[in-house]
Amino acid sequence: MNDILAYSRWCLGVVILILAWEITGNRGWLGSTWPPLSSIFDYLNSRPNLELLVRNAGVTGVNAVLGLLFGTLIGALLAILGFLIPRLYPGLSTFATFVNALPLIALGPLLIITVGEGATPVAIATLSVFFSFFVAAISGINQTTAIQRDVTIVFGASRWKKLRFVQLPAAVPRLFDGLKLGASAAVLGAILGEWFGSGSGLGVILVSAMQNFQIELLWSAALFGTLLTITGFVCISLIRIAFFRRYL
Amino acid sequence: MAEFQKETLGSPLDGSPPTSVMQPFIEIDGVSKRFHLSRSDYVDALVDISFEIYRNEFVALVGPSGCGKSTLLRMIAGLDEPSDGVIKVGDDHPRELIAKQRVGMAMQEHGLMPWLDAVGNVSLPFRLAGLPIDPERVEELLELVKLSKFSNARPSQLSGGMKQRLSIARALVLQPDLLILDEPFGALDAVTRRMMNQELQRIWSRKPTTTVLVTHSLEEAVFLSDRILMMSPNPGTVISEYPVPLPRPRTLETSREKDFLSLVESVTARLDEICATELLS
Amino acid sequence: MMRVWLVGAIVRYWTILILLVFWQVLVTVNDYNSIVAPSPIQVGTAFLSDPEYFMSHAWYTLSSALGGLILGIAMGTIVASLSWATPLFNGLLMPMSLFFRSIPIVAMIPIIVRLVGYGSHSVIMITAILTFFPCYLLFLSGLEDVNSTRKDFFSSLNCQPKGFKMLTFFRYLALPSAMPNLLVSVRLLAPICILVALVTEFLMGLQGLGYVMTSARSTLRMDVSWAAAIISCLLSVGFFLVASAVEQKYRSRWSD
């Protein structure tokens, strides 16, 4: 009963959000930069507009996926390294915190020189994914209780075996959480990276539409960015479900 | 010592009340509690429980885990509603007593506020009741639980036993008409627990208050209470009752005496019997 | 004594050291000139040749980020408290904030820049808007996630999170219980507010370190651009460390 009430409040919230957007946009209460939702869909209804956005979203998507891949790999490798060689761990965790505290945008000037303009989106996406996955992996690996760890020690398991059979399975839920955070971070990183002289991508469209007052294009690009993130969430959730079906 | 073992199977109301406390204060009449697991599935946690607790009586509820003693306690305290039956405290709904701020409560988890010091924690009931804080009363309570020296310490700076004593001081500060204790020393080690029992017994004997205690420890139940109600699970109900005619004040010596030990023994035997039938069924 | 300290520092900071060495090696081996990639020394001289220029822009960035953060946190805590008190309000706001949490909102700053308009207050306002949502969500979950024993104790004294004792419940239980989450949100948002300020400056191109980074690049002063980028990094890391220290220090006051 309480659930139903909360749920209906929630739905009401969504409906009011959409209605408020449409009405304020229609009346122009928030200025010309706040278009009604319907005008964005009108804009996307034309073939060239849609193609432009799909093409650029594809570029950003590829950048984000690469960033997610590299970032996850690096994060996982460093987390495992930190677990197998405990001496390295404090330095790795300082590094992760340091990367997290860096403003991604400030890495732009440094990265366009070191890795080139084309690879900057992937590099920034990689760095931002790295942090969230590394933190998730470390906290996941340390999820096991002291008793579970003691039991493996009593059975004389090597550090590697301990990781393989106890720590890693225990970490799986956290790893998926890290991946989900990473999906959003990857899209953000790719778009920020594209602001630094990349030829195409949603980032380029967002900036040029902003500068040229192409309001519908601006909102459409934002919509596609959101869709990319949501697609990432959905894919990771599906993988998660498949994984749990297969192994649990 | 069979002469004080008055066991009344099935009808707990037959037990004659201790002569010193004749006035019923809490009346529990045909109380049941049903928990719904899903739309069609449910468990009966408690079924048709009836008994009375007398004014200024100390009653202990014991029984195997899962017999619903904590649920019953929450309902007596007015924190939960029975599915069926009536609970009256002083001729009123238990919530009326809460509304008058006449209930004191201490649980296994101390539930102290980490952001307040000892004085702040013990004064909190005054604030919540909207009463002016009585610093002397707070000081008196800290004295009573022997924490005067720690009046400015935060809970994180106190040991487990000290935290429980503080939580008991907090429960007593408004001089409640009903004291609810749910495993107050459950998280403590056996030695500390014995000390705590002695302290609680001393504090209680100084000013007897109607008290309902839930505990796993039968020694604790015998040591502290005037009467023990034993519950059995599936479904939860009261099946035996033991008066505890040991004189007060009770000390650590009491807990080594023959009367004490034989009462503990017979209560333990009964509990074992319940657990054994539970396992067989 | 000295050796112990040195070993401790290496254990903690070896990754950063490797990164610095890597940078130096990269510049030396490839023999970049200063237009392509300035060496650390060139970046240093660029800063020292006009420190006031950098410091005034850094101050602009820091003050607008801080101002925005304070505004965002103030709004977040107030709106979360109102949400806590009125379930209807909560239901209306929740979908919006979850939506904002799941999109890469920093990438949407171009839109917000257009909405807020170009002006001296834009950076503060945008920082405030973007820090509002995380703070709102965290603080609200802190208000709602009250330890059940404490809640029972409050109930036993007739103090419920509804009705006329609601304010008492809020003042003595919900609010203090949410303090650790407030500290966490300050720590999490410290680097984010700097990032948001930089991004906004970068896009608007009026003032601040974000502006220096782009404008210097367009005039091929890579040393100036890098100096601004490095100052931004130091600012962000420094602010994060301060916020973490504050959290560490006060956390134990509010939690078990």
Side-chain angles (χ1 to χ4, degrees):
Chain A
M1 184 57 214
N2 257 327
D3 286 353
I4 296 171
L5 199 69
Y7 185 70
S8 54
R9 271 198 212 111
W10 214 90
C11 288
L12 189 68
V14 175
V15 170
I16 286 184
L17 187 70
I18 291 172
L19 274 180
W21 188 340
E22 183 64 31
I23 292 168
T24 49
N26 228 327
R27 295 291 165 97
W29 284 337
L30 291 172
S32 54
T33 33
W34 184 269
L37 257 184
S38 51
S39 75
I40 297 169
F41 288 108
D42 278 349
Y43 177 83
L44 287 175
N45 211 0
S46 95
R47 206 178 164 81
N49 291 345
L50 192 63
E51 266 173 10
L52 173 76
L53 279 158
V54 169
R55 197 174 58 239
N56 285 289
V59 173
T60 304
V62 169
N63 285 337
V65 168
L66 287 177
L68 189 62
L69 219 68
F70 292 141
T72 309
L73 254 159
I74 298 173
L77 279 177
L78 290 188
I80 290 174
L81 194 69
F83 177 76
L84 292 178
I85 312 170
R87 285 231 89 158
L88 297 182
Y89 174 72
L92 288 170
S93 108
T94 314
F95 176 63
T97 325
F98 181 72
V99 167
N100 177 49
L102 287 181
L104 294 175
I105 187 101
L107 298 178
L110 314 182
L111 286 172
I112 47 173
I113 303 295
T114 44
V115 302
E117 283 179 357
T120 298
V122 177
I124 294 188
T126 302
L127 278 172
S128 50
V129 172
F130 155 74
F131 170 75
S132 57
F133 195 77
F134 177 79
V135 169
I138 284 292
S139 79
I141 286 175
N142 292 326
Q143 270 288 290
T144 46
T145 59
I147 296 172
Q148 283 172 319
R149 279 187 300 252
D150 287 350
V151 168
T152 52
I153 292 171
V154 168
F155 284 133
S158 67
R159 252 192 125 62
W160 171 250
K161 282 236 168 66
K162 215 166 113 185
L163 182 68
R164 165 74 186 74
F165 292 107
V166 182
Q167 243 90 357
L168 223 48
V172 167
R174 284 287 173 99
L175 295 184
F176 277 108
D177 290 346
L179 271 180
K180 267 191 176 174
L181 283 177
S184 164
V187 175
L188 170 63
I191 291 178
L192 287 193
E194 284 160 6
W195 291 350
F196 285 92
S198 182
S200 55
L202 287 178
V204 178
I205 294 205
L206 277 167
V207 171
S208 78
M210 177 196 88
Q211 284 163 348
N212 300 320
F213 241 105
Q214 294 162 290
I215 301 305
E216 273 90 8
L217 181 62
L218 184 59
W219 281 95
S220 306
L223 184 69
F224 270 78
T226 310
L227 285 180
L228 272 183
T229 323
I230 292 172
T231 314
F233 280 154
V234 171
C235 288
I236 289 164
S237 301
L238 288 179
I239 295 172
R240 183 197 175 113
I241 290 168
F243 184 89
F244 278 98
R245 280 248 175 87
R246 173 79 179 74
Y247 291 103
L248 299 171
Chain B
M1 287 280 116
E3 50 268 51
F4 59 68
Q5 284 175 36
K6 184 151 189 195
E7 189 178 329
T8 49
L9 261 165
S11 59
L13 282 177
D14 284 357
S16 55
T19 45
S20 57
V21 280
M22 289 299 289
Q23 214 180 342
F25 181 58
I26 302 175
E27 290 163 82
I28 293 161
D29 190 12
V31 163
S32 303
K33 180 75 182 178
R34 175 171 287 184
F35 286 113
H36 291 272
L37 302 175
S38 63
R39 206 157 287 180
S40 55
D41 225 8
Y42 59 82
V43 221
D44 284 314
L46 297 168
V47 169
D48 196 22
I49 292 180
S50 303
F51 61 87
E52 286 172 349
I53 293 173
Y54 301 90
R55 199 172 276 282
N56 296 342
E57 188 185 15
F58 195 128
V59 168
L61 292 174
V62 299
S65 41
C67 66
K69 43 194 194 302
S70 288
T71 310
L72 182 58
L73 190 73
R74 286 179 63 84
M75 293 194 294
I76 294 173
L79 297 175
D80 220 336
E81 286 292 317
S83 314
D84 203 7
V86 180
I87 298 181
K88 277 189 171 178
V89 178
D91 280 331
D92 259 328
H93 191 280
R95 269 206 311 268
E96 293 299 313
L97 205 66
I98 283 186
K100 285 183 257 169
Q101 283 111 11
R102 304 308 306 149
V103 179
M105 197 172 78
M107 321 284 264
Q108 173 166 1
E109 247 194 275
H110 53 76
L112 297 167
M113 312 296 145
W115 50 87
L116 297 175
D117 60 10
V119 171
N121 267 295
V122 178
S123 327
L124 190 58
F126 285 106
R127 294 183 189 277
L128 298 186
L131 301 168
I133 294 172
D134 180 350
E136 279 167 33
R137 174 74 184 150
V138 172
E139 189 45 49
E140 185 189 329
L141 256 300
L142 285 174
E143 189 100 20
L144 192 66
V145 297
K146 299 180 177 160
L147 284 174
S148 308
K149 267 193 244 160
F150 297 91
S151 52
N152 291 319
R154 287 170 188 275
S156 57
Q157 296 163 317
L158 299 174
S159 73
M162 288 166 155
K163 278 187 258 201
Q164 290 304 335
R165 292 210 305 263
L166 192 58
S167 125
I168 284 171
R170 184 179 69 174
L172 291 172
V173 74
L174 293 181
Q175 297 186 306
D177 293 335
L178 173 61
L179 183 60
I180 298 289
L181 302 173
D182 188 355
E183 286 277 1
F185 308 129
L188 302 180
D189 63 276
V191 178
T192 316
R193 193 167 180 156
R194 275 167 66 84
M195 296 299 148
M196 288 292 146
N197 283 337
Q198 196 192 8
E199 286 300 298
L200 178 59
Q201 201 279 142
R202 174 182 64 83
I203 292 165
W204 190 87
S205 301
R206 186 183 282 191
K207 186 180 181 302
T209 305
T210 314
T211 303
V212 189
L213 164 79
V214 158
T215 178
H216 277 113
S217 159
L218 301 177
E219 287 83 1
E220 183 169 287
V222 173
F223 186 78
L224 290 171
S225 69
D226 297 316
R227 187 155 56 112
I228 296 173
L229 298 175
M230 182 167 295
M231 297 177 65
S232 76
N234 294 333
T237 189
V238 175
I239 64 165
S240 313
E241 178 177 342
Y242 299 84
V244 183
L246 302 174
R248 291 183 192 269
R250 300 168 190 168
T251 60
L252 286 177
E253 285 77 56
T254 316
S255 68
R256 293 194 297 270
E257 277 163 18
K258 223 173 128 201
D259 286 359
F260 178 90
L261 291 173
S262 62
L263 182 52
V264 170
E265 197 189 319
S266 63
V267 178
T268 308
R270 182 73 184 116
L271 183 65
D272 288 350
E273 199 181 303
I274 293 168
C275 292
T277 44
E278 175 65 18
L279 281 174
L280 287 175
S281 65
Chain C
M1 192 59 212
M2 191 63 194
R3 248 192 81 216
V4 171
W5 180 84
L6 199 66
V7 169
I10 288 174
V11 162
R12 193 141 274 286
Y13 299 107
W14 64 271
T15 36
I16 312 286
L17 284 176
I18 285 181
L19 216 64
L20 284 175
V21 171
F22 182 71
W23 175 22
Q24 188 59 56
V25 168
L26 202 78
V27 173
T28 324
V29 167
N30 288 327
D31 198 20
Y32 289 137
N33 63 33
S34 73
I35 292 177
V36 182
S39 72
I41 296 164
Q42 281 165 317
V43 172
T45 33
F47 173 75
L48 287 176
S49 67
D50 196 357
E52 252 168 58
Y53 172 75
F54 287 103
M55 288 331 274
S56 72
H57 282 291
W59 171 244
Y60 179 78
T61 302
L62 182 66
S63 57
S64 37
L66 248 174
L69 179 65
I70 291 169
L71 251 174
I73 284 181
M75 284 195 310
T77 46
I78 291 169
V79 175
S81 306
L82 291 175
S83 257
W84 177 84
T86 41
L88 184 67
F89 193 50
N90 189 9
L92 296 181
L93 242 121
M94 227 6 150
M96 194 154 79
S97 33
L98 288 180
F99 176 72
F100 271 99
R101 199 173 57 166
S102 59
I103 61 171
I105 189 163
V106 174
M108 307 300 163
I109 291 179
I111 292 192
I112 308 174
V113 167
R114 269 277 155 252
L115 281 173
V116 171
Y118 285 48
S120 52
H121 299 299
S122 306
V123 182
I124 289 194
M125 277 182 72
I126 291 172
T127 315
I129 292 169
L130 264 66
T131 47
F132 164 79
F133 287 101
C135 173
Y136 164 76
L137 284 171
L138 257 168
F139 195 70
L140 183 60
S141 87
L143 288 175
E144 282 173 345
D145 185 24
V146 169
N147 169 299
S148 66
T149 310
R150 289 187 194 120
K151 209 170 175 173
D152 277 350
F153 163 70
F154 270 63
S155 302
S156 81
L157 285 161
N158 199 28
C159 194
Q160 306 262 353
K162 52 179 188 252
F164 75 107
K165 282 282 185 82
M166 191 185 208
L167 263 181
T168 317
F169 190 94
F170 182 77
R171 158 85 178 74
Y172 290 108
L173 188 55
L175 192 61
S177 299
M179 287 312 284
N181 279 22
L182 184 64
L183 292 171
V184 169
S185 73
V186 173
R187 166 171 55 86
L188 289 178
L189 291 173
I192 290 180
C193 74
I194 302 268
L195 171 68
V196 171
L198 286 171
V199 168
T200 312
E201 290 161 1
F202 177 87
L203 289 170
M204 295 207 314
L206 294 175
Q207 251 193 95
L209 289 174
Y211 155 74
V212 175
M213 277 193 289
T214 42
S215 72
R217 190 158 73 91
S218 60
T219 54
L220 292 181
R221 288 295 308 271
M222 281 326 282
D223 49 348
V224 174
S225 176
W226 279 42
I230 286 168
I231 295 170
S232 310
C233 291
L234 292 179
L235 212 59
S236 179
V237 172
F239 193 19
F240 173 76
L241 291 178
V242 169
S244 304
V246 169
E247 191 206 351
Q248 280 291 316
K249 181 158 182 229
Y250 290 104
R251 196 189 178 94
S252 62
R253 284 182 71 124
W254 303 100
S255 49
D256 299 288

